[in-house]
Amino acid sequence: MTSRPTEASPRQGAASTGPWEDRQLAHGVLRLILGINIGLHGLTRVGAPGAFADGIVKNFADSPLPEWSVRAYALGLPFVELAVGVGILLGLRLRGVLTLGALLMSTLTFGESLRQQWSTVGLHLSYALAYYLLLARAADARLTVDGWLASRRGATDP
């Protein structure tokens, strides 16, 4: 015989000692860490994108990718990283920006796989898991610009 939870019993995994459930707090903490990480990747590179691109082109010299494509990618990468990181931190178009970040990781994984940099590719799996978790639990997001905008629209709708 199995016991079933009653209305009065708390939901498993819904523990809370504050205004948020644990899963919401966990989402916020992971979002904060990933947003800072990705955002600072971009922020530290946008001041000198040419120098950053030169280093990437040098690293990919022995890869089958043409130099022009590596340079174009590397010149845009810091700006995309910065936008993704800020979007994650602010929770602005969160699902879209998380999807963009995951797709960005797939392109980085592709490039590093061509270079056979397997330890870096393995590290990319950590990022991929973080994106997966944040996307899979997007409904747990709190303190987002998306939520703020939705509440403002709801307050002005008759």
Side-chain angles (χ1 to χ4, degrees), residues 111-134:
E112 293 300 328
S113 294
L114 286 178
R115 294 182 56 225
Q116 299 183 36
Q117 298 298 309
W118 305 120
S119 60
T120 304
V121 170
L123 177 62
H124 289 170
L125 284 176
S126 301
Y127 285 100
L129 285 171
Y131 281 110
Y132 167 80
L133 288 171
L134 289 172

Side-chain angles (χ1 to χ4, degrees), residues 100-112:
L100 177 60
L103 291 173
L104 179 63
M105 288 311 304
S106 71
T107 64
L108 292 168
T109 299
F110 175 79
E112 293 300 328

Side-chain angles (χ1 to χ4, degrees), residues 15-145:
S16 174
T17 59
W20 295 353
E21 294 180 4
D22 289 349
R23 60 192 168 78
Q24 296 165 333
L25 182 60
H27 191 277
V29 169
L30 184 57
R31 201 177 100 216
L32 175 67
I33 293 167
L34 185 62
I36 289 170
N37 184 300
I38 300 301
L40 286 178
H41 268 87
L43 184 63
T44 60
R45 298 170 177 165
V46 295
F52 172 71
D54 289 343
I56 298 297
V57 167
K58 182 179 176 184
N59 289 341
F60 277 81
D62 294 331
S63 80
L65 298 173
E67 181 180 328
W68 65 266
S69 68
V70 173
R71 180 168 302 282
Y73 181 88
L75 285 170
L77 180 60
F79 300 96
V80 175
E81 288 174 328
L82 181 58
V84 167
V86 169
I88 291 169
L89 282 170
L90 295 178
L92 179 60
R93 305 219 184 262
L94 188 56
R95 288 183 74 231
V97 82
L98 288 170
T99 301
L100 177 60
L103 291 173
L104 179 63
M105 288 311 304
S106 71
T107 64
L108 292 168
T109 299
F110 175 79
E112 293 300 328
S113 294
L114 286 178
R115 294 182 56 225
Q116 299 183 36
Q117 298 298 309
W118 305 120
S119 60
T120 304
V121 170
L123 177 62
H124 289 170
L125 284 176
S126 301
Y127 285 100
L129 285 171
Y131 281 110
Y132 167 80
L133 288 171
L134 289 172
L135 275 167
R137 302 302 306 213
D140 292 332
R142 297 295 180 268
L143 292 179
T144 64
V145 171

